[in-house]
Amino acid sequence: MRKIPSRAGAKRARGGARNEPDTVKPESLTPLVRQYQQIKAQHPDDLLLYRIGDFYETFGNDAKVAAEILNITLTRKHVGKGQTLPLAGIPYHALDAYLAKLIRAGRRVAICEQVQDPKEAKGVVRREVVRVVTPGTLVEENLLEDKAGNYLVAAARHGGNWGLALAELSTGALAATELSGEDARTTLLGEVARIAPAEMLATEEDWALLESLWRETFGAGGALRTRVDKGMVRLDGARAALLGQLGVTTLQGFGAEDSPAAVCAAGGLVTYLRETQRRGLGHIRELQIYSVRDTMLLDATTQRSLELVRNMIDGGRAATLLEVLDQTRTPMGGRLVRQWLLQPLQDLEAIRARQDAIEGLLGSAPAREGLREGLRGVRDVERILGRVHCGAASARDLAALAASLREAPAIKSALIVLGAGALKAIGEAMPTLTALADELERALVPEPPVSVREGGMVRDGFDASLDELRAISRDGKGWIARMRAAEIQRTGISSLKIGYNRVFGYYIEISNAHKDKAPADYIRRQTLTGHERYVTPELKEQEELILGAQEKIEALEYQIFEGLRTKVLAETGALQGLAHALAQADALAGLAVAALRGGYVRPLVDGSDLIEIKAGRHPVLETLMAERPFVANDVRLDGREQQIWLITGPNMAGKSTFIRQVAVITLMAHLGSFVPAHAAHIGLVDRIFTRVGATDYLARGQSTFLVEMTETANILHNATEKSLVILDEIGRGTSTYDGLSIAWAVVEYLHGKARRRAKTLFATHYHELTELETTLERVRNYNVAVKETSEEITFLYQIVAGATDRSYGIYAAQLAGMPQETLERAREILFQLECRRTAPADEGGAAQNGQTPSHGAPGRPGADLPARVTTRDVDVMQMDLFEPLMPPVFTELATLDVNRLTPIQAMQVLEELVKVAKKMRG
Ligand SMILES: Nc1ncnc2c1ncn2[C@@H]1O[C@H](COP(=O)(O)OP(=O)(O)O)[C@@H](O)[C@H]1O
Ligand SMILES: [Mg+2]
């Protein structure tokens, strides 16, 4: 047996033996280490967990990495003739927990097992890598998020096209798409952003081609990037791999013969899965070829800024659209809603089918509740099946499967009774598999253990020979108890015990005080301090019976489990059909419940050139606002008259909320959901573009402004007349002049370009932009209403027609608790600036915080740009800070009626004014 270094002690300081080399001379290595090195050579990029007895060990650099990630002791192992290597190990039974940490740290882990019984080994036990666990190939329940897919994707090129394929090992899903044209790469990464895979495969060469765009999209993150050999994604090999996997002779049936790049990517995926899993992939039975044009494109920016599945605060699910819409009862339904949300439809018929289903579900409360009740008992059939195929399922999984199957008939009939939209077809096509449920239930105890090797899974009465063995085992234990009583009687030692351990088996134990009384037929086996242990031929005989029975029970139960597994495998197709139907039913019922809770209505979705929402609300914000009501707002955008809405208003007035809410409602309509409004008419939108407030770009090492401009450029290049564009405060990251100029030009561009006239909502703090309404025919000014008294401002959150020319920045500063002194000083500066605005040109520019504008400010339309900085600069100051309330004294003046003042009062007013004037002079 190998000596296991003590792991109980404190974590040894790392690098204690820093000077020892980590490379070793091969001639002098022990055979075990030589075997290790051979295996490691085949997995240079993987962290190799090497099974030795009860431990998985890591060596060399792997050990350093593992010690770091897992926080385990790093020691050194003697590997032959005075040489050592870094070593770190974990106990085999804790593999799952440690594996989770390694995978989360973005590692690929090769698991090397002893594949030979050590008793039979001559020399070193034979070992093999049985599986490579990578972030994209997980099936274990505790490593996966219930309600999110865990995807592996591959990109490949063929004949100028890019192919993108995705697979989910835990469910058996496999899909691919072919991308052509100039922006194929951009589209590809857009898809990758939508899928949000855990891992992506591509050749070295292709990674190089994607590199800069990848960094732009994902920064250092995105997914684990795995390099694969060119051969893996070459067409002939890839096609062969697919044909083999899908068990067909042509890919025609999957519509894949005309998508060679997609085939390359999908075939590459299948090969990679085979190489890493080295076991069944029987649940991958279909290849779905899809087109990105079938769904609305949602780039990474839009997903992020609309907070669809992750919030901007911590990337979590709280306060996202998904959280509001996902009212499902099963993980399968939850994953499907997520998928729907990220793949809004472009097909009116499909949208209406979902709407009809939701309407039907809302129309019949009893049927809906019946359906939901049934779904409550359904477990993750899809992933259980995946685990059955990958050899990772337990009897507990099969019992959960049986329980789920039990619910199927009631769910099926509820769907047929409801009969609306997609529901009827889903119900009718849904297999119920009652025979399999019966079989599983007859065989398995209600709550089987997690381990499949230790028995206890199968019900009494299911198998006659198992019952017999169990009787022997039970009887054996009774026999031991009876023997103990008899021996106590015979020897007169009342403390006599019969114990068991794995080395000596059953033994009789007598304390030293009584050892003289041991009968002659006792054979001494072991002497301990204080005790002697004995056996008798009779005891050993019984032991053989008991242990033999137990061993046989475990083997037989495993065999029965394997039989059940095979029966489940045989129903793969039907089970996948069932899982699919359950997921759909659950997702639709979940959307219906979301609609019910939120008071949503069915939008009219058609091919028109219109986005019209009456009394729309933000579905997430309205649920978060507890104490005050959410103010609803209308919008109407079209391509002919009201293409661009410019929305101005004070800080915190609700501009950003409003423009996002329009985007979110439009998106919800495209996924077939009902929407938070009184009424909505939504013409199909090909893409939603967003450019909204700065998020955490520092982590990506790009300046905020550069990101903003990149994203804006992307919008201008790709928006069409069918797109919806949401722009929030663009131009903020640079000087006022630059910012306003850019914002101005962007509006002109979106307005002017034929076939690019995207419907646009533009929230801006540059009130100068509102002048565009007079020259650009499809631009409309709107602002957010506020109620203003001399004391305070009340936000009404109501979007009304017309422009504002101020933004109450100082008032916001006051609300934020800025020191009174600062506020007053700000008011004074502002007042001076306002005064200068009307004074002759020459002295301006001083308040630009030392920034020298690189361009002149854009003049009023038609005017020449000023050659040098003038007081006009004051005009284009960002309203935020410098456009305040009137100084209080003027507010008061405005209320005075001079004719009614007494001379004394007039004097007092004058005195006040003089005071203010003096203060301002400094
Ligand atoms: N329609 C609304 N009804 C009620 N409160 C709202 C509404 N819109 C916004 N708010 C509140 O105002 C806050 C600021 O809104 P936001 O859209 O960020 O303002 P802005 O972009 O104009 O600075 C929100 O966090 C919310 O609390
Ligand atoms: Mg805002």
Side-chain angles (χ1 to χ4, degrees), residues 34-322:
R34 235 176 292 142
Q35 181 196 51
Y36 169 82
Q37 294 208 319
Q38 274 164 16
I39 294 174
K40 177 67 194 173
Q42 291 157 23
H43 295 271
D45 297 334
D46 307 336
L47 199 141
L48 180 61
L49 293 183
Y50 189 68
R51 179 75 177 259
I52 303 178
D54 285 347
F55 281 82
Y56 288 104
E57 301 288 9
T58 56
F59 296 105
N61 195 48
D62 284 356
K64 293 181 182 172
V65 171
E68 179 77 43
I69 297 173
L70 303 176
N71 195 27
I72 54 173
T73 308
L74 183 68
T75 61
R76 297 193 74 93
K77 179 180 169 65
H78 173 79
V79 293
K81 286 213 182 135
Q83 306 188 75
T84 62
L85 268 182
L87 164 85
I90 54 172
Y92 82 98
H93 56 80
L95 178 65
D96 273 7
Y98 285 116
L99 199 53
K101 284 194 188 167
L102 291 170
I103 296 296
R104 249 172 243 134
R107 293 285 159 174
R108 289 166 35 113
V109 181
I111 299 179
C112 177
E113 296 286 1
Q114 301 177 173
V115 292
Q116 186 183 21
D117 190 332
K119 282 179 218 144
E120 286 160 23
K122 295 188 194 76
V124 183
V125 179
R126 209 167 51 239
R127 290 184 173 80
E128 264 170 32
V129 169
V130 296
R131 183 181 164 207
V132 181
V133 187
T134 78
T137 59
L138 302 176
V139 290
E140 286 76 6
E141 200 172 5
N142 64 331
L143 297 184
L144 293 171
E145 229 181 286
D146 258 4
K147 288 195 160 191
N150 186 69
Y151 294 106
L152 173 69
V153 303
R157 273 179 308 141
H158 185 86
N161 285 1
W162 281 87
L164 179 72
L166 63 135
E168 199 187 19
L169 187 62
S170 65
T171 63
L174 177 67
T177 186
E178 181 101 356
L179 305 162
S180 57
E182 244 175 85
D183 48 2
R185 254 182 292 174
T186 318
T187 315
L188 185 133
L189 288 191
E191 267 299 279
V192 173
R194 183 180 64 68
I195 298 162
E199 180 178 4
M200 172 154 152
L201 316 176
T203 63
E204 182 102 57
E205 209 174 288
D206 289 348
W207 273 125
L209 292 173
L210 295 170
E211 179 63 34
S212 69
L213 206 52
W214 181 281
R215 236 180 310 117
E216 237 171 64
T217 316
F218 303 112
L224 175 71
R225 296 197 259 165
T226 301
R227 277 164 293 137
V228 297
D229 286 342
K230 267 189 189 170
M232 215 170 192
V233 291
R234 212 175 283 134
L235 186 58
D236 44 358
R239 172 186 278 129
L242 274 179
L243 293 175
Q245 176 62 40
L246 304 172
V248 290
T249 51
T250 162
L251 293 174
Q252 211 102 51
F254 299 104
E257 290 294 5
D258 302 328
S259 308
V263 167
C264 291
L269 269 190
V270 165
T271 309
Y272 181 79
L273 286 174
R274 286 215 190 122
E275 280 184 7
T276 54
Q277 301 312 301
R278 298 162 190 227
R279 53 188 170 176
L281 298 173
H283 58 317
I284 300 181
R285 296 152 47 100
E286 262 171 48
L287 170 65
Q288 186 206 345
I289 295 287
Y290 72 100
S291 159
V292 289
R293 267 175 293 279
D294 294 344
T295 57
M296 183 196 286
L297 267 170
L298 290 172
D299 53 45
T301 310
T302 302
Q303 279 182 47
R304 210 168 28 234
S305 52
L306 294 181
E307 301 188 287
L308 299 182
V309 298
R310 288 181 209 291
N311 67 42
M312 286 212 238
I313 296 161
D314 60 2
R317 192 181 144 106
T320 60
L321 182 59
L322 178 62

Side-chain angles (χ1 to χ4, degrees), residues 621 625 628-631 633 650-657 797:
L621 209 61
M625 290 199 339
R628 50 202 173 85
F630 190 89
V631 178
N633 276 301
N651 287 323
M652 295 300 288
K655 302 184 296 295
S656 302
T657 306
Y797 306 110

Side-chain angles (χ1 to χ4, degrees), residues 566-594:
T566 310
K567 288 200 167 113
V568 172
L569 287 179
E571 299 288 0
T572 296
L575 283 167
Q576 282 180 335
L578 173 69
H580 184 69
L582 290 170
Q584 300 252 337
D586 191 22
L588 289 166
L591 286 181
V593 169

